[in-house]
Amino acid sequence: MIRLFVFGTLKNGFPLHDPCLGGATYLGAYHTVEPYPMFIAGQWFAPMMLDKPGNGFHVSGELYEIDRARLAAIDAVESIGKAGNFRISIEVIPVEGGGRGHAFAYVKSENLARAVHSPCLTDYQDRRFIPRWNRKPADQPLPADPPDDCPEG
């Protein structure tokens, strides 16, 4: 079985949870051991975590245990294989304390994080995300740099 750390729209109660993780084994509330920059960005107001460990804040999320078939399906939703979209292994720890462990997490490159719609976050609770089934053709937003309030390590 595979451990997957989710911090945004895949969390319980958010738009992609039921289609992607409904029925998966929930292991609890976790956060990243290393800080990462995470914020709301892009034309669909998506939560994005950059692969820049040591920068930003400890990111809160949920840990799930899934099989390879479900991982492949979520990879497709997360655009793995397309430029700027990655699945990496990170270290996570339970919020209530306990042993550290490794899990996969989805991260984006900085060039996808344009325009930025929030400061650097520790916990995603924003409800502006536009899922694929609600998207309409739109102009690309103006470029903007990642928020400057993400501490650098």
Side-chain angles (χ1 to χ4, degrees), residues 17-76:
H17 178 79
D18 287 344
C20 294
L21 287 169
T25 302
Y26 174 72
L27 299 177
Y30 278 68
H31 62 82
T32 61
V33 170
E34 291 285 327
Y36 286 87
M38 191 262 290
F39 43 85
I40 311 306
Q43 66 180 348
W44 312 120
F45 294 88
M48 294 186 184
M49 187 166 82
L50 302 183
D51 187 12
K52 294 179 75 173
N55 296 290
F57 300 106
H58 299 279
V59 176
S60 297
E62 300 170 351
L63 191 65
Y64 289 88
E65 192 171 69
I66 60 174
D67 61 25
R68 290 199 180 281
R70 190 181 296 241
L71 181 66
I74 298 171
D75 281 355

Side-chain angles (χ1 to χ4, degrees), residues 4-32 38 40 46-49 58-64 70 74 77-78 95 105-106 121-127 129 133:
L4 180 66
F5 175 77
V6 300
F7 57 86
T9 58
L10 288 166
K11 292 190 317 184
N12 189 26
F14 288 89
L16 300 180
H17 178 79
D18 287 344
C20 294
L21 287 169
T25 302
Y26 174 72
L27 299 177
Y30 278 68
H31 62 82
T32 61
M38 191 262 290
I40 311 306
M48 294 186 184
M49 187 166 82
H58 299 279
V59 176
S60 297
E62 300 170 351
L63 191 65
Y64 289 88
R70 190 181 296 241
I74 298 171
V77 169
E78 290 288 338
V95 169
Y106 295 103
L121 304 171
T122 60
D123 183 35
Y124 174 75
Q125 293 299 324
D126 196 283
R127 299 293 174 162
F129 174 70
W133 54 87

Side-chain angles (χ1 to χ4, degrees), residues 22 25 37 42 49 62 66 72 96 101 107 110-111 117 132 141:
T25 302
M49 187 166 82
E62 300 170 351
I66 60 174
E96 296 295 320
V107 296
E110 284 190 57
N111 66 320
H117 306 293
R132 284 190 172 117

Side-chain angles (χ1 to χ4, degrees), residues 100-150:
R100 298 175 180 203
H102 281 28
F104 285 125
Y106 295 103
V107 296
K108 305 292 184 190
S109 65
E110 284 190 57
N111 66 320
L112 295 181
R114 314 227 187 263
V116 175
H117 306 293
S118 78
C120 202
L121 304 171
T122 60
D123 183 35
Y124 174 75
Q125 293 299 324
D126 196 283
R127 299 293 174 162
R128 294 177 288 172
F129 174 70
I130 303 168
R132 284 190 172 117
W133 54 87
N134 287 337
R135 293 177 185 171
K136 297 178 178 107
D139 293 335
Q140 289 291 329
L142 295 174
D145 292 326
D148 60 6
D149 68 334
C150 292

